[in-house]
Amino acid sequence: MPENYIEIENLRKTYDGKKYALDGLTFNTGKGEIYGLLGKNGAGKSTSIKIMTTLIGFNSGKGTVAGYDIVKEAAKIRKCIGVVQQEESYDFATVENNFKLAGLLWEVGREERDSRMNELIDLFGLDEIRKKRMFDLSGGQKKRVQVAREFMHDMKVIFLDEPTVGLDPIMRRKILDYIRQKANKGLTVLFTTQNLEEADMICDRIGIINNGMIVEEGTSSQLKNKYGNLRTLTIWAGDESMLSKEQVQNIFSDLSFDQLEVKENVITIITKNLEKNLGKIMSLLSANNIQVERINVENPTLDDVFIKVVQK
Amino acid sequence: MKIPAFLRLTIRNVVVNTDMGTMIFMLGLPTLYLFVMGFMFQGIVPTGLQIKQNGLDIPYTTFLAPGIIALQSFTAGNIGGGMLWSDRRWGMFEQIMVGPFRRFEYLLGIICVSIFFAIVGSLIMLAFALAIPVSFNYNLIGVLSFLVTIVMGTILFSSLFLIISGIAKSMQAYQTITIVLFFLLDFASTSFYNITSSTPVWLVYIADINPLTYISNILRDSFIYGVNYQTFTSMGIIFAGMVVLFAISMRVYRNIRSGI
Ligand SMILES: Nc1ncnc2c1ncn2[C@@H]1O[C@H](COP(=O)(O)OP(=O)(O)OP(=O)(O)O)[C@@H](O)[C@H]1O
Ligand SMILES: [Mg+2]
């Protein structure tokens, strides 16, 4: 029996009987792997986490978490997972008591509980606010407690639903590093995010979810090669220039771009390996007497990747 | 040492609820009722408010004390049943539901914390009452009927608040319903006063369907007049009300989906 695995097969889920929030979701995750579900608002990330953590039911399909069936062995699953849900979640008590209560609920012995609490408070920079009541904290501080608290108990799989939203870059980094460490020790991690860079940083494998299904999957470097290196280069030529697409295509005939648009005096190029070709592009333009007034380079947003993925 | 899941949840519920606000609501307010109202009424009209029942003369403070103790079942039920609301509101219901618990254990945790608060609260009120002092008669049957009634009344009220917690859609709705119920049930009952021939009919109707009326009456029988046939009838009514409300609360609870 596979242990510490997530296997999801053809899950379908509708809330209202009309629209499917999950529409044939299929993926699996190995032991100690960090799997990232990447998708925009409403893609079905939280829905899939709620199903895998046995919080809600579904219409068809099947799945196992840590080797247990998500329907028949739900109680067993709940004993060996951790969940950081997207919505805020805390007890009406102080920060410290939130840790202690988590320890109580998970039957962590008193000594173990206190040492873990202190370690986590230290690691997540909560020392100054440990005596404060939860509702006196800032949004980011609450989120930090919520993520840290979940590590009070041991588990085989952790589900993290956009755990870094609202955190400053330093804390974000710290949390991602901590999760990485845990994964290296065998914890299986299911992580959702809308942030491509973040997924790239931490995930062993990424599934891009759209309209309730995985539309693209791979290691971060595979995906990066496919989409992540795309840059959008916009070039404004002198006001007087009226460029035609053929003219520009001829100038760049040696180079191949993913996309080339020309409108009056504005050239838009979408390409991989822009760093390598930028010099060549500029010198080709000047060799052809096109005066460049301004250029702009943009990294692809998640939407760009999506549009690509969905159009395919 | 292994603590069963429902008991861990109960301990958690106690810890989360032992804040200043809850304590004032649970103990401070009834204490004020007991002392301020008790002595005010007794002081203003020293003889006129003496209450006669079964041929016995009862000072108002002695009459009031069992009523105030009865209120503890309402307050504790409100705190316990209301936990479902705050747990849904602050995301802890979902969090517990994906933890090492079964659904009924969460429910049991709520019932247990309600009973815990009710018993602790009513014992404290009893102690205050004795300090006034009041003239209570004690016997085993009285004490038993007091305990059984407080427990049944608390389950009844926590079921009521579980239902409200399960169906309320907003903070305002929940709080408004709670406050209206608080005033209506507390004051349109026999907790504070007897129903007399001059009580308006509509108030008598409300008092007649108000569980606090029966609980107050039972506690007066337990501590003052002695348990009698009427006491058992009232207990039967409270038992029936408890069963009905608990059954409804189970239905509501079973249908709660995550989120509000
Ligand atoms: N409780 C609910 N009732 C009805 N529809 C819902 C409910 N929860 C989610 N949905 C719908 O299901 C779809 C998927 O939602 P889900 O919350 O899984 O998206 P998500 O990927 O987590 O989005 P986000 O990035 O905004 O968190 C959406 O169309 C959403 O409107
Ligand atoms: Mg979500």
Side-chain angles (χ1 to χ4, degrees):
Chain A
M1 182 156 82
E3 222 201 5
N4 292 349
Y5 277 72
I6 302 174
E7 285 182 354
I8 295 301
E9 207 181 310
N10 222 356
L11 274 192
R12 297 188 87 210
K13 162 78 183 176
T14 171
Y15 287 99
D16 57 9
K18 287 176 228 135
K19 195 180 161 289
Y20 277 86
L22 295 187
D23 200 359
L25 187 78
T26 301
F27 72 95
N28 60 62
T29 308
K31 178 181 159 70
E33 187 178 32
I34 303 184
Y35 189 94
L37 271 182
L38 187 68
K40 53 186 175 181
N41 293 138
K45 302 183 293 297
S46 300
T47 302
S48 52
I49 285 197
K50 284 176 186 167
I51 291 174
M52 288 183 271
T53 57
T54 79
L55 188 62
I56 60 174
F58 51 96
N59 299 85
S60 62
K62 61 181 183 182
T64 57
V65 169
Y68 300 120
D69 187 279
I70 54 177
V71 179
K72 290 188 212 108
E73 297 171 299
K76 284 184 184 158
I77 290 178
R78 290 198 294 269
K79 285 196 170 120
C80 66
I81 59 171
V83 184
V84 174
Q85 56 186 44
Q86 184 176 10
E87 293 77 22
E88 62 178 20
S89 129
Y90 54 86
D91 275 318
F92 246 55
T94 60
V95 171
E96 265 189 3
N97 273 344
N98 265 268
F99 283 98
K100 287 182 181 168
L101 288 170
L104 167 77
L105 292 183
W106 283 94
E107 294 184 274
V108 183
R110 189 175 289 258
E111 266 172 44
E112 178 73 16
R113 181 196 75 182
D114 288 348
S115 79
R116 277 188 200 191
M117 174 177 78
N118 291 328
E119 189 190 329
L120 287 165
I121 283 183
D122 198 39
L123 198 75
F124 285 75
L126 301 168
D127 200 43
E128 266 172 45
I129 54 169
R130 65 192 291 161
K131 301 278 180 207
K132 277 199 175 185
R133 298 181 66 85
M134 285 301 290
F135 53 83
D136 294 329
L137 304 187
S138 75
Q141 289 171 329
K142 281 182 197 154
K143 193 86 201 184
R144 262 145 70 180
V145 176
Q146 194 183 339
V147 177
R149 183 188 63 182
E150 208 48 32
F151 289 98
M152 283 297 287
H153 68 278
D154 294 321
M155 61 213 133
K156 292 180 178 172
V157 185
I158 191 164
F159 296 86
L160 299 148
D161 199 351
E162 303 192 28
T164 55
V165 169
L167 298 184
D168 59 64
I170 298 168
M171 192 43 66
R172 181 182 287 243
R173 188 75 220 210
K174 260 192 183 163
I175 289 185
L176 295 180
D177 286 348
Y178 185 71
I179 295 168
R180 179 79 264 171
Q181 269 177 37
K182 289 277 174 184
N184 290 345
K185 288 185 196 147
L187 178 67
T188 303
V189 180
L190 194 120
F191 181 90
T192 79
T193 180
Q194 309 190 26
N195 185 317
L196 189 61
E197 310 298 322
E198 188 174 287
D200 182 26
M201 200 190 297
I202 185 175
C203 298
D204 297 313
R205 255 176 344 125
I206 295 169
I208 295 180
I209 179 171
N210 197 31
N211 292 327
M213 35 186 157
I214 303 282
V215 287
E216 184 68 78
E217 189 182 57
T219 66
S220 44
S221 60
Q222 286 167 342
L223 281 181
K224 210 173 162 187
N225 273 338
K226 214 162 171 185
Y227 307 101
N229 285 346
L230 285 181
R231 296 284 183 276
T232 305
L233 169 68
T234 314
I235 301 164
W236 285 266
D239 276 348
E240 317 309 317
S241 338
M242 287 298 281
L243 306 168
S244 74
K245 191 162 178 173
E246 286 92 56
Q247 187 190 352
V248 177
Q249 267 169 345
N250 283 335
I251 294 173
F252 295 133
S253 55
D254 283 359
L255 299 168
S256 77
F257 300 134
D258 287 65
Q259 209 176 320
L260 174 68
E261 297 291 339
V262 180
K263 205 176 166 204
E264 295 180 357
N265 63 333
V266 183
I267 305 168
T268 307
I269 294 168
I270 299 180
T271 182
K272 292 170 197 161
N273 310 321
L274 180 65
E275 291 81 357
K276 216 170 66 195
N277 290 331
L278 188 58
K280 203 164 181 185
I281 292 171
M282 298 314 283
S283 56
L284 279 171
L285 286 172
S286 89
N288 286 277
N289 288 325
I290 294 176
Q291 198 194 335
V292 174
E293 290 212 323
R294 189 156 68 87
I295 68 166
N296 181 41
V297 179
E298 272 173 26
N299 293 339
T301 64
L302 187 55
D303 276 345
D304 296 336
V305 176
F306 265 124
I307 290 163
K308 268 299 233 202
V309 170
V310 174
Q311 275 174 349
K312 201 173 52 170
Chain B
M1 185 186 61
K2 279 240 178 279
I3 310 174
F6 82 93
L7 217 53
R8 298 202 303 275
L9 285 165
T10 307
I11 298 171
R12 172 228 172 219
N13 294 347
V14 173
V15 173
V16 172
N17 274 305
T18 34
D19 60 303
M20 212 45 175
T22 311
M23 287 304 111
I24 289 174
F25 180 54
M26 207 182 97
L27 299 175
L29 215 56
T31 309
L32 280 181
Y33 286 157
L34 193 61
F35 284 91
V36 178
M37 286 180 91
F39 285 116
M40 277 292 193
F41 276 91
Q42 192 157 257
I44 294 167
V45 200
T47 49
L49 256 165
Q50 298 236 322
I51 293 164
K52 249 193 197 3
Q53 202 160 322
N54 301 351
L56 287 168
D57 266 354
I58 315 260
Y60 183 65
T61 41
T62 298
F63 174 83
L64 182 63
I68 299 297
I69 295 171
L71 293 187
Q72 291 298 312
S73 61
F74 175 85
T75 315
N78 183 355
I79 295 169
M83 282 224 67
L84 174 61
W85 164 259
S86 48
D87 281 344
R88 289 177 73 210
R89 175 70 182 74
W90 305 111
M92 280 309 288
F93 180 65
E94 286 80 359
Q95 194 67 41
I96 290 170
M97 287 300 132
V98 295
F101 304 102
R102 290 165 195 273
R103 254 178 121 85
F104 79 90
E105 289 168 334
Y106 176 84
L107 192 68
L108 210 53
I110 279 188
I111 302 284
C112 287
V113 77
S114 307
I115 293 175
F116 173 80
F117 275 127
I119 289 182
V120 170
S122 46
L123 290 181
I124 291 176
M125 284 305 126
L126 187 59
F128 284 164
L130 296 181
I132 283 183
V134 292
S135 45
F136 280 180
N137 308 309
Y138 302 97
N139 54 61
L140 186 62
I141 294 184
V143 171
L144 281 180
S145 81
F146 150 66
L147 286 175
V148 168
T149 304
I150 281 291
V151 170
M152 288 196 305
T154 304
I155 297 177
L156 184 154
F157 285 118
S158 53
S159 301
L160 179 67
F161 282 98
L162 275 169
I163 296 169
I164 300 166
S165 295
I167 57 184
K169 290 277 186 285
S170 70
M171 192 80 158
Q172 281 85 345
Y174 180 78
Q175 280 174 347
T176 309
I177 295 172
T178 305
I179 290 170
V180 169
L181 275 181
F182 175 77
F183 279 101
L184 195 69
L185 294 189
D186 273 19
F187 293 108
S189 73
T190 54
S191 297
F192 293 92
Y193 359 78
N194 243 344
I195 288 172
T196 65
S197 53
S198 55
T199 310
V201 180
W202 61 271
L203 251 182
V204 176
Y205 279 134
I206 296 180
D208 272 351
I209 57 164
N210 184 348
L212 271 180
T213 299
Y214 298 92
I215 299 172
S216 302
N217 293 349
I218 297 168
L219 297 197
R220 275 188 196 112
D221 291 346
S222 307
F223 290 128
I224 306 170
Y225 310 125
V227 174
N228 54 53
Y229 174 72
Q230 188 74 44
T231 321
F232 288 114
T233 316
S234 298
M235 283 170 89
I237 291 170
I238 290 300
F239 180 76
M242 174 189 85
V243 170
V244 170
L245 282 176
F246 186 72
I248 299 174
S249 77
M250 286 293 284
R251 273 195 84 97
V252 171
Y253 178 68
R254 209 175 299 136
N255 290 326
I256 293 178
R257 293 276 157 261
S258 61
I260 290 173

